[in-house]
Amino acid sequence: MPRTPQPRTAVLASADLSFRTRVREALTGLRWEVQEAQGGAEALAYLEARPCEAMIVDTWLPDLEIQEFLAECEKRHPQTDLIAVDDPGPERGPERTQARSPRRNEVLLALRRGQDADHEPQGDGASWNGMPEMTPVHDRTVVREEIFVRGTAVVEATRPGAEPGPGTVRLPELIGEAPAMLEVSRRIRLVAPRAATVLVQGPTGSGKELVARAIHRLSPRANRRLVALNCAAIPDTLLEAELFGHTRGAFTGAVQGRIGRIEAADGGTLFLDEIGEMPLALQAKLLRFLETGEVQRIGDNDPIRVDVRIVAATHRSLAEMVKAGSFRADLYYRLAVFLIRTPGLGERPEDLPLLVERLLARMAEQAPVRRLSAEAMERLRQHAWPGNVRELQHVLERAAILAAESPEIGAAEIEFGETF
Ligand SMILES: Nc1ncnc2c1ncn2[C@@H]1O[C@H](COP(=O)(O)OP(=O)(O)OP(=O)(O)O)[C@@H](O)[C@H]1O
């Protein structure tokens, strides 16, 4: 009796759902068990949790440079074969060169045969080794192989000898190459795939919300909701109902029942901005939720189980607040499982030119924008930036409007607003 082959295991990493679907269908039809990841960090987390035979990865990842990703896989999981897949399109990945191993050939073959059910291989998979079309080719004989899976060009992965730089590459939405910013990106990528609570600390306008959104985008929860609540923007008396929800008639004015933001974020992420402004009594209730995973709407005795990841942010030092007795120590420890500190612009002056260039380029997508003169740049350099990147954005927007009739943005067009 023919032996039923064990499913072979692969992680498939791509941000593109249709791409994942095509490749997954091709492989599961061939008895591969495929774990899908939306980005590099998530894919690495899957490999950590359960080693598998192959890593199939899109050459464009939302969070990691492909070379960095491949090097990381190679270092941590030398047993896993790597295959980078190029979707045909204007953005091709970098040139790839690498000798192929027999097992990698199997995956390529599986992908190719996914087009055609008649070719479904029989046996235990070992017999695929040495298929005539796929006999291993030694270094440099073939540098590139394209196989089409329903319109997708599959190109062999490569790990050229070059090291992938400092081991950390910034996330696309976070502008800045200063070490403190690269550390922010690194921390986001490390924590995103996990369920850990994150505390983001940094001055106003330094990108705390951007960090929360990036964590959500790179997490397995990315296709569920990110719900944001600014604790400073809601009167203390309403904050509890906003967080936990309430039944009809639970308090004066509650003419209808409403679910709270925690429940609304079920399966996703809740971003609690300005957590330092939360009243002490409510802090105790939030802690209870974090410990039990249950919420109780105001006016209702039945607890409801929810699965929510919390990312909290503050511009204040919560540790100082704990010392002063205005923030609960137990909640602080529970929130600060993983800390990310967003640096103020004053701490990373070397990023100013890059920020200016990228922010002006973004503005130019909406309306024509003049170039910045050297004098204007110098004026920007002299400023202390208490409002950080948000303030820079506003200064540049104002300057672009003022310079509409000038050949360039001059120092005269750089106006700083009020500082507080
Ligand atoms: N590193 C960065 N790269 C690109 N844009 C940034 C960066 N940091 C901040 N910004 C932009 O600056 C603005 C303010 O950012 P964000 O709201 O994330 O800051 P914040 O720290 O949460 O501010 P606040 O404490 O006032 O709520 C946003 O438009 C954001 O896109």
Side-chain angles (χ1 to χ4, degrees):
M1 217 171 86
R3 191 157 58 89
T4 310
Q6 285 289 315
R8 324 206 70 190
T9 52
V11 175
L12 167 58
S14 169
D16 178 348
L17 177 64
S18 77
F19 169 79
R20 290 204 311 270
T21 307
R22 279 178 315 199
V23 178
R24 176 180 23 87
E25 280 174 0
L27 283 172
T28 46
L30 294 162
R31 291 192 287 270
W32 280 76
E33 206 176 279
V34 181
Q35 180 75 57
E36 290 177 47
Q38 297 182 27
E42 190 187 346
L44 285 170
Y46 283 137
L47 267 193
E48 291 292 337
R50 185 180 158 203
C52 68
E53 293 175 54
M55 166 67 73
I56 302 158
V57 57
D58 199 334
T59 51
W60 184 86
L61 291 171
D63 52 345
L64 297 179
E65 289 292 331
I66 186 67
Q67 296 301 352
E68 182 191 16
F69 175 83
L70 293 174
E72 201 60 26
C73 272
E74 174 96 314
K75 193 168 79 195
R76 293 206 229 162
H77 307 283
Q79 301 309 317
T80 301
D81 274 335
L82 300 174
I83 296 182
V85 182
D86 244 358
D87 233 354
E91 301 250 330
R92 311 288 300 195
E95 263 313 298
R96 290 159 295 275
T97 56
Q98 178 75 23
R100 294 172 293 165
S101 74
R103 194 164 43 183
R104 196 172 309 138
N105 290 338
E106 284 176 35
V107 180
L108 292 170
L109 183 61
L111 290 171
R112 186 168 73 174
R113 293 198 163 182
Q115 298 172 90
D116 182 358
D118 294 343
H119 279 110
E120 184 162 333
Q122 302 295 317
D124 64 3
S127 60
W128 296 2
N129 285 339
M131 294 292 292
E133 318 89 299
M134 289 291 152
T135 39
V137 178
H138 295 293
D139 290 322
R140 288 180 288 280
T141 330
V142 172
V143 292
R144 189 178 153 126
E145 169 133 5
E146 292 200 7
I147 296 176
F148 289 88
V149 182
R150 295 172 200 157
T152 301
V154 179
V155 186
E156 182 155 353
T158 70
R159 291 154 281 178
E163 282 296 311
T168 172
V169 173
R170 74 174 175 84
L171 294 172
E173 60 264 67
L174 289 176
I175 306 169
E177 305 281 355
M181 281 308 293
L182 296 181
E183 178 62 10
V184 170
S185 286
R186 190 177 83 88
R187 285 181 165 250
I188 293 172
R189 289 194 313 248
L190 288 173
V191 80
R194 302 171 185 267
T197 302
V198 181
L199 179 63
V200 191
Q201 262 181 317
T204 180
S206 62
K208 297 186 294 295
E209 180 160 353
L210 219 52
V211 167
R213 291 190 180 280
I215 292 171
H216 179 70
R217 177 176 71 77
L218 299 175
S219 76
R221 297 163 179 268
N223 54 6
R224 304 300 287 272
R225 293 181 68 188
L226 172 94
V227 174
L229 177 65
N230 184 337
C231 303
I234 296 180
D236 289 2
T237 45
L238 298 182
L239 196 52
E240 181 179 357
E242 203 57 48
L243 260 181
F244 292 93
H246 59 84
T247 56
R248 186 167 166 226
F251 49 84
T252 317
V255 283
Q256 277 183 343
R258 237 182 101 189
I259 67 161
R261 304 277 178 111
I262 298 179
E263 259 187 86
D266 195 12
T269 306
L270 177 65
F271 174 51
L272 291 176
D273 202 359
E274 302 298 358
I275 188 84
E277 311 310 310
M278 186 175 278
L280 275 166
L282 197 50
Q283 290 176 25
K285 292 187 176 160
L286 178 64
L287 179 65
R288 198 170 321 126
F289 158 66
L290 285 168
E291 281 171 350
T292 61
E294 290 178 347
V295 285
Q296 222 169 325
R297 294 182 196 165
I298 302 172
D300 197 343
N301 289 329
D302 294 330
I304 304 159
R305 271 214 87 72
V306 283
D307 165 29
V308 173
R309 190 223 199 130
I310 302 278
V311 178
T314 178
H315 70 281
R316 302 173 63 164
S317 162
L318 289 191
E320 288 298 319
M321 290 182 72
V322 169
K323 277 190 215 151
S326 52
F327 202 86
R328 291 182 67 107
D330 45 11
L331 179 60
Y332 171 73
Y333 291 123
R334 192 66 188 70
L335 290 173
V337 171
F338 195 84
L339 258 173
I340 298 183
R341 212 183 70 78
T342 52
L345 194 43
E347 290 172 61
R348 51 183 186 115
E350 67 268 46
D351 279 342
L352 191 65
L354 181 67
L355 274 160
V356 168
E357 180 198 314
R358 296 289 162 84
L359 295 175
L360 287 178
R362 257 190 227 166
M363 285 159 52
E365 288 167 14
Q366 310 297 322
V369 171
R370 304 281 177 225
R371 291 178 64 82
L372 196 80
S373 71
E375 295 73 30
M377 189 65 194
E378 191 45 39
R379 199 161 141 70
L380 294 179
R381 280 191 211 281
Q382 300 302 324
H383 189 61
W385 301 111
N388 298 298
V389 182
R390 181 186 289 116
E391 184 188 3
L392 175 63
Q393 257 172 2
H394 294 164
V395 167
L396 292 175
E397 276 167 28
R398 198 153 45 225
I401 297 169
L402 290 170
E405 292 172 347
S406 320
E408 59 181 7
I409 299 175
E413 277 85 45
I414 301 294
E415 289 181 358
F416 301 110
E418 299 284 327
T419 51
F420 307 100

